[in-house]
Amino acid sequence: MKPPCEIVVWYLIPGIRSVLAKELFSLGMKQKEISAVLDITQPAVSQYLSDKRGNEVGFCDEILEMIKDLAYDLKNEKVDKRELIPRMCEICRRTKAEDILCMLHKEKDVVPEGCKACLGSNADSNEIIDKKGRISTEICKACSDDPADYIPFYDI
């Protein structure tokens, strides 16, 4: 079984970048500007805009809104490069809470019944949610119902 982080790298991050690139483009940014802001190549931006890359993930309205907010903040220089990673990580964390990562994992790999590796809704957690992407610590309860076994984990 592939680890969830492999699904994140191959599908989820490109999906987020695709929506983000399209939003930035719709806000009037040129491909070269988008590539500089996202620290990716201009050909990658072109592939995101033409759906040749990153088009395999469907996001719920809440996550799309988070991506749109990030695009707006990037366009208006309200977010610098230091803040981009925590904002992207928060979007990624929300995909876990919405079971998007879990569904994608099941679609792309053979996942055993009862798997909680993606830490979706089946793995309750105490979440500190910050829509601006500030890093939060969650307590993972994926493997146990005993509070003594809860362990903090730090998202990618």
Side-chain angles (χ1 to χ4, degrees), residues 13-78:
I13 292 173
I16 293 168
R17 283 181 174 165
S18 178
V19 175
L20 189 54
K22 290 172 186 168
E23 285 298 320
L24 290 168
F25 190 75
S26 74
L27 291 171
M29 290 183 74
K30 299 189 182 320
Q31 289 186 26
K32 190 171 183 175
E33 294 171 315
I34 296 168
S35 71
V37 168
L38 298 182
D39 198 24
I40 58 178
T41 65
Q42 182 277 322
V45 173
S46 177
Q47 289 182 339
Y48 288 134
L49 294 176
S50 64
D51 283 333
K52 291 181 182 174
R53 183 189 291 191
N55 64 344
E56 296 187 50
V57 182
F59 296 108
C60 66
D61 291 342
E62 179 184 355
I63 292 173
L64 289 173
E65 191 62 35
M66 291 175 74
I67 297 170
K68 287 179 183 182
D69 289 346
L70 177 56
Y72 179 83
D73 289 349
L74 285 167
K75 166 72 170 134
N76 294 300
E77 298 178 359
K78 293 182 178 183

Side-chain angles (χ1 to χ4, degrees), residues 4 7-8 12 95-96 99-106 118:
I7 303 300
V8 168
L12 193 60
T95 66
K96 291 178 187 177
D99 283 339
I100 294 167
L101 178 58
C102 186
M103 289 184 287
L104 189 59
H105 196 191
K106 288 175 182 173
C118 295

Side-chain angles (χ1 to χ4, degrees), residues 10-11 14 18 38 75 79 92 97 101 108 112 115 128 143-144 154:
W10 283 100
Y11 301 100
S18 178
L38 298 182
K75 166 72 170 134
V79 173
C92 191
L101 178 58
K108 301 295 180 186
C115 175
I128 301 170
C143 303
S144 174
Y154 303 93

Side-chain angles (χ1 to χ4, degrees), residues 97-130:
E98 298 295 328
D99 283 339
I100 294 167
L101 178 58
C102 186
M103 289 184 287
L104 189 59
H105 196 191
K106 288 175 182 173
E107 179 184 314
K108 301 295 180 186
D109 198 10
V110 177
V111 178
E113 189 175 327
C115 175
K116 296 182 183 181
C118 295
L119 301 174
S121 64
N122 290 334
D124 297 332
S125 66
N126 295 327
E127 245 180 342
I128 301 170
I129 299 172
D130 183 340

